[in-house]
């Protein structure tokens, strides 16, 4: 059974950076598409980024394009989300999701992700 644990959130000023981690336990991540999602208070969950299980294909929602970078290290069973140029509107609980889909070279945040972590809070305020 795959379990996901997010970390790296915190309180930062606008313009700051954070590196979020999504760590897996139980199984390796290499056959999973991983997505990062966020949910702000009073808003629906939003897909932020995803990375394919093969070939390193990535996708970003338009509002984070150029500021967020997703990457994975299968040997460490982890996926990362580097967040730069943080804005107050980035404030949310960030969660990662996983979908077992080996050899998939593309991804979309609309996939039916099967496994979820509990999330890590990111707060951007001056």
């Amino acid at each position: 059974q795959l379990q996901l644990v997010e970390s790296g959130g915190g309180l930062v000023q606008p313009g700051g950076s954070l590196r979020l981690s999504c760590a897996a336990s139980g199984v390796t991540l290499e056959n999973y598409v991983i997505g990062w999602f966020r949910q702000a208070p009073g808003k629906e969950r939003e897909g932020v980024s995803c990375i394919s299980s093969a070939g390193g294909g990535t996708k970003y929602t338009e509002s984070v394009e150029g500021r967020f970078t997703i990457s994975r290290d299968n040997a460490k069973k982890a996926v990362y989300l580097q967040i730069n140029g943080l804005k107050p509107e980035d404030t949310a609980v960030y969660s990662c999701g996983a979908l077992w889909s080996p050899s998939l070279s593309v991804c979309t945040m609309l996939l039916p992700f099967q496994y979820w972590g509990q999330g890590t809070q990111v707060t951007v305020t001056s």
Side-chain angles (χ1 to χ4, degrees):
Q1 181 78 8
L2 175 65
Q3 293 181 318
L4 302 172
V5 178
E6 302 90 340
S7 62
L11 177 65
V12 295
Q13 293 184 340
S17 298
L18 286 172
R19 188 194 194 204
L20 307 184
S21 297
C22 172
S25 63
V27 297
T28 60
L29 277 180
E30 60 188 18
N31 291 318
Y32 290 84
V33 174
I34 305 297
W36 277 100
F37 298 79
R38 66 186 180 185
Q39 188 165 20
K43 295 187 177 181
E44 293 188 355
R45 185 171 62 193
E46 173 191 25
V48 173
S49 180
C50 63
I51 187 164
S52 66
S53 56
T58 60
K59 191 172 182 67
Y60 300 91
T61 192
E62 185 175 351
S63 63
V64 309
E65 192 84 47
R67 299 189 296 122
F68 289 21
T69 303
I70 191 171
S71 61
R72 66 190 301 156
D73 187 335
N74 290 334
K76 294 184 178 180
K77 297 195 292 185
V79 172
Y80 307 102
L81 188 68
Q82 178 67 41
I83 307 176
N84 299 324
L86 277 159
K87 303 176 181 180
E89 52 263 41
D90 294 320
T91 294
V93 175
Y94 285 70
S95 302
C96 58
L99 172 67
W100 191 84
S101 189
S103 303
L104 188 65
S105 61
V106 296
C107 69
T108 168
M109 288 75 81
L110 298 177
L111 290 170
F113 290 89
Q114 301 165 292
Y115 305 96
W116 295 91
Q118 292 300 308
T120 185
Q121 176 72 46
V122 172
T123 303
V124 185
T125 180
S126 54

